[in-house]
Amino acid sequence: MDIAEQIYQEAKRLPEPLSREVLDFIGYLEAKHGLSDTPIEDLKKAQETTLGPIWDTPED
Protein backbone atom coordinates (compact mmCIF):
# COMPACT_ATOMS: atom_id res chain seq x y z
CA MET A 1 0.00 0.00 0.00
CA ASP A 2 1.47 3.36 -0.97
CA ILE A 3 1.39 6.44 1.25
CA ALA A 4 -1.57 8.04 -0.56
CA GLU A 5 -3.63 4.91 0.02
CA GLN A 6 -2.63 4.88 3.71
CA ILE A 7 -3.72 8.52 4.06
CA TYR A 8 -7.00 7.71 2.32
CA GLN A 9 -7.69 4.75 4.61
CA GLU A 10 -7.00 6.81 7.73
CA ALA A 11 -9.08 9.77 6.51
CA LYS A 12 -12.09 7.53 5.82
CA ARG A 13 -12.26 6.65 9.50
CA LEU A 14 -12.45 10.26 10.70
CA PRO A 15 -15.65 12.12 11.54
CA GLU A 16 -16.62 14.85 9.04
CA PRO A 17 -15.20 17.84 10.98
CA LEU A 18 -11.80 16.18 11.28
CA SER A 19 -11.86 15.17 7.62
CA ARG A 20 -12.35 18.84 6.76
CA GLU A 21 -9.33 19.76 8.89
CA VAL A 22 -7.23 17.20 7.03
CA LEU A 23 -8.40 18.60 3.71
CA ASP A 24 -7.59 22.14 4.88
CA PHE A 25 -4.12 20.99 5.91
CA ILE A 26 -3.52 19.39 2.51
CA GLY A 27 -4.46 22.70 0.89
CA TYR A 28 -2.07 24.50 3.21
CA LEU A 29 0.78 22.14 2.29
CA GLU A 30 0.07 22.56 -1.42
CA ALA A 31 0.12 26.33 -1.10
CA LYS A 32 3.22 26.34 1.10
CA HIS A 33 5.18 24.24 -1.39
CA GLY A 34 3.81 25.91 -4.52
CA LEU A 35 1.96 22.79 -5.66
CA SER A 36 -1.39 24.46 -6.07
CA ASP A 37 -2.61 27.20 -8.34
CA THR A 38 -5.58 27.82 -6.05
CA PRO A 39 -5.94 31.54 -5.27
CA ILE A 40 -5.55 32.51 -1.62
CA GLU A 41 -9.23 33.47 -1.35
CA ASP A 42 -10.22 29.89 -2.20
CA LEU A 43 -7.95 28.65 0.59
CA LYS A 44 -9.50 31.07 3.05
CA LYS A 45 -12.96 29.84 2.07
CA ALA A 46 -11.86 26.23 2.59
CA GLN A 47 -10.67 27.08 6.09
CA GLU A 48 -13.84 28.95 6.99
CA THR A 49 -15.60 25.84 8.32
CA THR A 50 -12.79 24.97 10.70
CA LEU A 51 -11.60 28.43 11.66
CA GLY A 52 -14.89 30.34 11.47
CA PRO A 53 -15.66 29.93 15.17
CA ILE A 54 -12.18 31.19 16.03
CA TRP A 55 -12.39 34.17 13.66
CA ASP A 56 -15.89 35.22 14.75
CA THR A 57 -15.34 36.07 18.39
CA PRO A 58 -16.61 39.05 20.39
CA GLU A 59 -13.01 40.32 20.65
CA ASP A 60 -12.85 40.68 16.85
Side-chain angles (χ1 to χ4, degrees), residues 18-33:
L18 293 179
S19 295
R20 290 188 183 281
E21 285 188 46
V22 171
L23 189 58
D24 289 346
F25 185 66
I26 290 170
Y28 161 77
L29 289 175
E30 288 177 335
K32 178 181 175 183
H33 295 283

Side-chain angles (χ1 to χ4, degrees), residues 4-48:
E5 182 64 27
Q6 288 176 324
I7 292 168
Y8 172 69
Q9 292 300 323
E10 291 296 321
K12 283 191 337 183
R13 298 180 320 113
L14 295 173
E16 183 73 18
L18 293 179
S19 295
R20 290 188 183 281
E21 285 188 46
V22 171
L23 189 58
D24 289 346
F25 185 66
I26 290 170
Y28 161 77
L29 289 175
E30 288 177 335
K32 178 181 175 183
H33 295 283
L35 302 174
S36 175
D37 56 7
T38 304
I40 192 70
E41 291 303 316
D42 288 347
L43 291 175
K44 287 180 185 176
K45 188 166 182 68
Q47 294 175 349
E48 197 170 328

